[in-house]
Amino acid sequence: MKKILLAFAALSVAGCATSSMGASSSTPADAFLSALQVQCGKAYAGRITANQPASATPDPFEGKALVMHVRGCDDPTREIRIPFHVGDDRSRTWVVTRTGTGLRLKHDHRHQDGQPDAVTMYGGDTVDAGTAQRQTFPVDAESVAMFKRAGLNASLDNTWAMELVPAKTFVYELSRPNGRLFRVEFDLTTPVEPPPAPWGADG
């Protein structure tokens, strides 16, 4: 009987060790993507919480209804697509993809007829683990080359970030070393009516 109890105790310890190893293998990138997956199918209204320095020209975001819609969830552990609607403009979709080392953020820009914009699929990969609530994406070389071709030199030092506090807020952020900061905060406590599909999407 004593031998049986000892064997059971050993198995219990081994089981706990295995469970602990499994829990520790979940990375911040996986945790962030998992929290985002919970929002699949839902839409939320946002508000600008930072937009500096002030623009000398009319800002395309100011005074517009801002809505994010987590809708591209066919393979959510690998990729999630989030259209970002600015008023009636449905040209923007954030694409968050799991890579071998972290996450990738790309911006899919389309015209109303569904054709890709000349400047599209730009973004970057995470370069550190980040956290379960914040992931940062410095601009990648491919995007820098695209920006140079388009004469968008202000964007050469872009860093994007996403923050997700479950059941509370989602934040999209763009920053530059020169002091440029743009942040939109979405209220996850109150879903809104999902908007139409983004331009270029099916259904």
Side-chain angles (χ1 to χ4, degrees):
M1 183 66 179
K2 186 175 182 180
K3 289 182 179 180
I4 294 174
L5 289 173
L6 287 172
F8 179 77
L11 285 172
S12 297
V13 170
C16 289
T18 302
S19 177
S20 298
M21 289 172 62
S24 64
S25 67
S26 178
T27 67
D30 291 323
F32 186 89
L33 203 58
S34 179
L36 193 55
Q37 180 182 347
V38 172
Q39 306 303 328
C40 282
K42 300 174 184 176
Y44 300 96
R47 61 187 182 90
I48 297 172
T49 57
N51 193 6
Q52 58 196 46
S55 175
T57 58
D59 190 286
F61 299 95
E62 293 286 355
K64 301 288 182 63
L66 306 176
V67 176
M68 63 174 280
H69 183 196
V70 188
R71 75 186 299 272
C73 298
D74 293 339
D75 189 3
T77 61
R78 187 188 69 84
E79 179 181 288
I80 294 178
R81 300 178 69 88
I82 310 168
F84 173 40
H85 300 260
V86 180
D88 294 328
D89 186 336
R90 293 185 269 140
S91 64
R92 302 170 179 86
T93 298
W94 302 320
V95 185
V96 182
T97 306
R98 184 69 165 95
T99 68
T101 57
L103 295 175
R104 173 175 297 142
L105 170 64
K106 290 289 184 175
H107 298 72
D108 185 352
H109 281 208
R110 302 292 181 111
H111 294 288
Q112 195 163 0
D113 62 3
Q115 293 302 306
D117 190 84
V119 179
T120 188
M121 297 309 291
Y122 58 83
D125 290 8
T126 54
V127 294
D128 55 37
T131 71
Q133 292 190 355
R134 181 177 170 90
Q135 294 287 317
T136 304
F137 311 87
V139 64
D140 59 26
E142 179 185 21
S143 302
V144 167
M146 182 187 301
F147 291 148
K148 285 182 177 179
R149 290 194 301 269
L152 300 173
N153 294 328
S155 299
L156 301 183
D157 295 316
N158 279 4
T159 296
W160 297 273
M162 287 181 163
E163 298 176 4
L164 199 166
V165 180
K168 186 176 180 182
T169 56
F170 177 88
V171 171
Y172 169 85
E173 175 187 291
L174 163 67
S175 64
R176 295 173 185 149
N178 65 359
R180 172 63 170 144
L181 179 63
F182 176 76
R183 282 172 63 92
V184 183
E185 182 178 302
F186 298 87
D187 180 6
L188 301 186
T189 67
T190 309
V192 300
E193 185 72 20
W199 296 337
D202 297 327

